[in-house]
Amino acid sequence: MNYEEARVYLDETSKYGSVLGLENMKALLDRLDNPQESLKFIHISGTNGKGTVLAYLSTILRKAGYRTGRYISPTLFSYRERIQVNEEKIEKEALAQHVTAIAAAVADMKEKKAGTPTAFEIETALAFLYFKEKNCDIVVLETGLGGALDATNIIQTTQLEVIAPISMDHTDVLGKTLKEIAAQKAGIIKPHTTMVTAVQEEEAKEVLQKVCKEKESRFCEVEKDEISDIQYGYIRQSFSYKNWKNVEISLAGEFQIQNGALALEAVNQLRKLGLSLPNEAVYAGMKEAKWVGRFTVMSQNPLVILDGAHNPQAAEALRKSLELYFKGKKLYYVFGVFQDKDYKRIIELTAPLAEHIITVETPDNPRALPAEELKKQVEKINASVETGESIEAAIEKNLSYMGAEDVLVVFGSLSFLGIAAKVLQGGGRKNG
């Protein structure tokens, strides 16, 4: 099949939804000669911050001369962003070639009643095939949902596990308590490896320590007291952590200091594991790492911020950053969220800061909370709210309300942010 046919095939597999478990993944990869077995991985789980830590580490590895694969989802601009080598998207021809092979394997599975892989399982297999084809030295891999039963957890050649901050999210699937969710996230820890974690709540930390002890793996955590010399800014920030002095980063947000420290702790552990990561590669990688959708400055005049605050922990981080950078300024929101998220708590955390809010709904997405329903919930906290006819119309309307010193904050679910980002960049909605 060609690229267009491959994309249609991938879109059609989305109807199978999300299924946790590794049986389908094993059956599929067995039919593809298990490409993942020839690769080495840094595996990242957690609730918030996975993507930015992945961006820091993969950029550092590339700067150090490693051919580095990165696998992420969802993406904002292009489907092919999900699978990258040295920050270059998978080629259309390669995608079509590998999807053709996967489709044949899936057909064989169906014929033998060996299961039906989901879209995420197929995409993960596609990533493994491509990374093997490109002879990647190392792959930085982000879990899709949870950890233990996530399709990415089929891998057995992990060099390092990294666990970003864990909080309450996907409680319908991962568990009703922080302890249960942490157990799922800790499922990526393999025997006799090294696990690096962000500063966690005590309940989550205890779970990670217990799993590391059971697996005879090293438990290593960010030392909060070692973070110093913090200089905040929404264009540039810097901080020191242990042996790393005045590390400059281009990612904004108060929380990025913690994510940066986690990446540097991971670097220290990778060095102990034998990877050559020169100082200049680390400093350059931290500075150059990009991750659109996490307190991203899309425009400076007018000032527009894009942020994927789609759960309470992310909303709390957004609120802290807004108070840190824009104290005394008028904030205008464009806000959209999925109905299966704790949107009432997100509203409680963010709505009081806004001068005016326009609610929107992600088009053609059954999970999207209707804009009118979101407006009703916002009204309970902030009466200055209206619904937007579309994401583009909401952005344009709020920009028309704003003064020269005001700030537009576009935030919520990542699929809605993808459309918003294209609108702000004047790129329409095409997704290649």
Side-chain angles (χ1 to χ4, degrees), residues 142-429:
E142 179 186 357
T143 59
L145 178 63
L149 301 176
D150 185 77
T152 62
N153 205 33
I154 197 75
I155 63 173
Q156 296 297 320
T157 52
T158 312
Q159 306 299 293
L160 183 77
E161 296 94 9
V162 181
I163 301 185
I166 299 169
S167 65
M168 302 296 288
D169 197 20
H170 297 292
T171 53
D172 55 328
V173 177
L174 300 180
K176 302 296 184 187
T177 67
L178 192 62
K179 187 175 180 180
E180 289 173 341
I181 292 172
Q184 287 294 321
K185 306 288 186 185
I188 68 168
I189 300 170
K190 301 293 185 292
H192 311 293
T193 55
T194 298
M195 187 278 308
V196 178
T197 176
V199 176
Q200 304 283 3
E201 291 187 37
E202 196 59 35
E203 197 176 353
K205 178 180 173 179
E206 287 173 2
V207 171
L208 299 180
Q209 287 176 317
K210 180 172 178 284
V211 173
C212 281
K213 188 174 181 181
E214 290 169 352
K215 300 284 181 73
E216 297 182 355
S217 295
R218 281 192 66 225
F219 174 89
C220 181
E221 66 179 329
V222 168
E223 295 178 42
K224 196 173 182 179
D225 293 344
E226 292 280 356
I227 301 173
S228 62
D229 306 322
I230 299 172
Q231 297 291 322
Y232 291 113
Y234 59 84
I235 301 300
R236 289 279 185 275
Q237 307 193 109
S238 64
F239 67 101
S240 298
Y241 179 70
K242 289 187 174 178
N243 49 310
W244 302 102
K245 304 303 179 186
N246 299 315
V247 179
E248 191 173 333
I249 57 176
S250 303
L251 297 174
E254 182 259 356
F255 54 90
Q256 286 299 352
I257 305 301
Q258 300 292 330
N259 290 338
L262 177 57
L264 291 172
E265 188 61 60
V267 165
N268 287 346
Q269 299 308 316
L270 287 168
R271 282 177 156 183
K272 290 179 182 178
L273 293 170
L275 273 74
S276 174
L277 299 172
N279 285 1
E280 56 269 26
V282 176
Y283 281 105
M286 292 295 289
K287 184 176 181 178
E288 292 182 26
K290 296 179 178 63
W291 192 253
V292 178
R294 293 295 184 270
F295 211 88
T296 304
V297 179
M298 298 297 291
S299 163
Q300 291 189 56
N301 186 24
L303 186 52
V304 180
I305 303 295
L306 198 71
D307 190 83
H310 63 286
N311 59 40
Q313 187 185 39
E316 173 74 17
L318 172 61
R319 184 184 63 79
K320 285 181 179 177
S321 294
L322 292 174
E323 290 177 331
L324 175 69
Y325 300 129
F326 307 130
K327 196 172 184 65
K329 290 184 178 288
K330 291 180 180 179
L331 306 177
Y332 291 78
Y333 292 173
V334 173
F335 174 38
V337 72
F338 285 165
Q339 55 194 321
D340 55 2
K341 296 294 183 179
D342 187 359
Y343 54 86
K344 292 181 181 177
R345 181 61 183 147
I346 296 171
I347 291 166
E348 288 172 3
L349 288 164
T350 58
L353 301 183
E355 180 76 13
H356 185 66
I357 300 170
I358 303 180
T359 61
V360 293
E361 178 181 346
T362 305
D364 306 319
N365 194 314
R367 291 175 62 195
L369 185 69
E372 187 59 42
E373 178 59 31
L374 185 55
K375 174 178 173 284
K376 289 177 184 175
Q377 296 298 328
V378 171
E379 277 177 331
K380 298 175 183 178
I381 306 293
N382 188 328
S384 182
V385 58
E386 63 181 300
T387 59
E389 292 179 14
S390 67
I391 293 165
E392 185 171 15
I395 289 171
E396 288 177 357
K397 187 175 276 191
N398 253 347
L399 287 172
S400 73
Y401 295 157
M402 290 164 51
E405 298 298 313
D406 301 338
V407 184
L408 176 61
V409 186
V410 184
F411 74 99
S413 298
L414 291 174
S415 56
F416 136 67
L417 287 194
I419 298 170
K422 288 170 195 167
V423 169
L424 290 164
Q425 292 187 339
R429 291 188 187 171

Side-chain angles (χ1 to χ4, degrees), residues 24-89:
N24 283 348
M25 201 65 201
K26 185 177 187 310
L28 177 59
L29 290 171
D30 281 346
R31 286 164 171 79
L32 298 168
D33 296 326
N34 289 300
Q36 78 284 1
E37 291 180 358
S38 63
L39 299 165
K40 295 178 180 178
F41 297 93
I42 296 170
H43 204 183
I44 305 176
S45 75
T47 305
N48 293 303
K50 297 192 299 289
T52 46
V53 174
L54 178 146
Y56 288 131
L57 290 177
S58 58
T59 308
I60 288 167
L61 287 160
R62 177 177 63 80
K63 285 286 181 182
Y66 291 96
R67 183 181 288 270
T68 307
R70 57 196 283 183
Y71 178 48
I72 55 177
S73 75
T75 51
L76 295 189
F77 298 109
S78 162
Y79 181 89
R80 292 185 294 122
E81 283 179 86
R82 296 172 189 223
I83 301 167
Q84 302 177 31
V85 173
N86 284 354
E87 296 171 39
E88 295 288 335
K89 296 180 290 189

